[in-house]
Amino acid sequence: MPSFEKSPAFSLKKGNNMKSLKLDQISEALKALAQERNLPEETIFSAVENAFAAAWRRDCGERGQNVTANFNINSGDLEIFVNYDVVEEVEDELTQLTEEDAKKIDKNAKVGSSVRTAQEVPDDFGRIAAQTAKQAIIQSLKESESKIMVGEYKDRVGTVIAASIQRVESRFIKVDLGRASALMPREEQVPGERYNMGERLKFYIKAIDDEGRIPTMIVSRSCPELVIELFKQEVPEINDGAVQIKGIARAAGLRTKVSVFTD
């Protein structure tokens, strides 16, 4: 990943009525990040805007305010706005205004519309926002890569894939698929089989769990289906159906029994 988090790109300098970002640093860092991860630039820039809005609300505003940020990657201008819904009767002073008060901001405001007020950006806001932005981008990358995983691999559930061991932990093995990652829980590992970082092995794509915010792909090296798929790859007669696998019993790491049938 580009050294985005180490760059002083988020430092701000005074402009005319705004604080202007150092584009020669932040723009190139974000574009390189988008290219490396094969993600739309808009995805990265949106994450930055959301991060700036969250940082301003945390350090300069109030919890519960509807804050948005506009970051112009071409000019380097950063604007922060607090947004209000125009209502007949105010129930939440942080997010609502009466029509009378809203017209002081926008003479065309009416009930059912919304208005926004520009906010001052402190001189040290870049330093405050940098860490928040970094974490937001890391999270955005995880979510975007997970969407790629679901889109590209959902039709490959039930097949074998060659991948590399990325990280070894006590509860699971993290597997690098290239543009996405997968997890191999302990129960899907072969007892006694050692896994080394960087080692390339074949895995059975067992499932994609997309119920949470970040989908997770589960792979296995212990399931019987892995053996069946490997037989199909290695034995042409099985792959073309001339020989059929009727049953399989596997004690992963110890023995595997396969029964076959042919007409």
Side-chain angles (χ1 to χ4, degrees):
M1 179 184 296
S3 56
F4 159 78
E5 63 269 25
K6 298 180 181 179
S7 169
F10 285 105
S11 62
L12 302 176
K13 57 184 180 181
K14 292 183 179 180
N16 294 329
N17 297 317
M18 306 176 184
K19 308 298 184 292
S20 183
L21 291 169
K22 294 182 178 179
L23 283 181
D24 58 339
Q25 297 169 3
I26 187 172
S27 176
E28 294 306 314
L30 295 180
K31 288 180 179 179
L33 188 62
Q35 183 177 11
E36 177 184 317
R37 296 302 183 92
N38 197 24
L39 297 172
E41 290 181 5
E42 294 78 9
T43 298
I44 306 297
F45 296 149
S46 177
V48 171
E49 288 183 329
N50 291 339
F52 283 143
W56 188 94
R57 179 172 52 241
R58 183 193 64 207
D59 296 305
C60 306
E62 295 185 57
R63 182 190 297 270
Q65 284 183 309
N66 180 6
V67 180
T68 55
N70 286 348
F71 169 51
N72 189 316
I73 193 62
N74 296 314
S75 67
D77 292 332
L78 174 67
E79 298 174 298
I80 300 290
F81 298 95
V82 174
N83 305 280
Y84 298 91
D85 294 324
V86 183
V87 297
E88 292 183 358
E89 184 176 348
V90 173
E91 297 179 355
D92 183 354
E93 294 183 351
L94 292 177
T95 61
Q96 297 176 334
L97 289 176
T98 62
E99 183 174 319
E100 179 181 358
D101 288 336
K103 284 185 179 296
K104 297 175 183 178
I105 301 171
D106 181 353
K107 63 181 181 180
N108 296 318
K110 59 183 179 179
V111 173
S113 65
S114 61
V115 295
R116 64 181 187 176
T117 58
Q119 304 298 310
E120 179 68 20
V121 180
D123 291 337
D124 64 347
F125 184 71
R127 177 186 57 79
I128 295 171
Q131 186 63 25
T132 303
K134 185 182 85 169
Q135 294 302 323
I137 289 176
I138 291 173
Q139 183 65 23
S140 175
L141 288 173
K142 289 181 179 178
E143 294 177 0
S144 297
E145 289 174 343
S146 294
K147 291 178 181 178
I148 290 174
M149 177 188 70
V150 173
E152 293 191 359
Y153 292 97
K154 64 180 180 180
D155 294 332
R156 298 184 64 180
V157 172
T159 64
V160 172
I161 187 171
S164 301
I165 302 295
Q166 186 174 12
R167 191 169 72 242
V168 178
E169 298 194 4
S170 58
R171 295 181 296 106
F172 63 83
I173 305 294
K174 189 171 184 181
V175 179
D176 182 9
L177 305 177
R179 295 188 61 193
S181 298
L183 297 181
M184 183 169 63
R186 184 181 299 170
E187 60 269 21
E188 301 297 340
Q189 300 171 25
V190 176
E193 189 172 59
R194 298 180 63 86
Y195 302 103
N196 302 307
M197 290 182 59
E199 183 180 10
R200 194 164 181 82
L201 299 169
K202 290 187 177 180
F203 301 85
Y204 181 80
I205 302 178
K206 196 166 186 179
I208 294 180
D209 180 4
D210 58 358
E211 293 184 359
R213 185 176 65 175
I214 299 181
T216 303
M217 181 187 298
I218 304 299
V219 296
S220 175
R221 279 192 51 83
S222 65
C223 65
E225 291 83 0
L226 173 63
V227 176
I228 294 174
E229 292 303 313
L230 290 177
F231 265 106
K232 290 180 179 179
Q233 292 181 6
E234 300 297 332
V235 182
E237 292 81 3
I238 293 179
N239 187 53
D240 62 22
V243 176
Q244 301 177 34
I245 296 178
K246 286 299 186 179
I248 182 170
R250 186 185 188 199
L254 295 175
R255 67 183 68 87
T256 298
K257 294 183 178 181
V258 180
S259 62
V260 297
F261 171 82
T262 182
D263 294 331

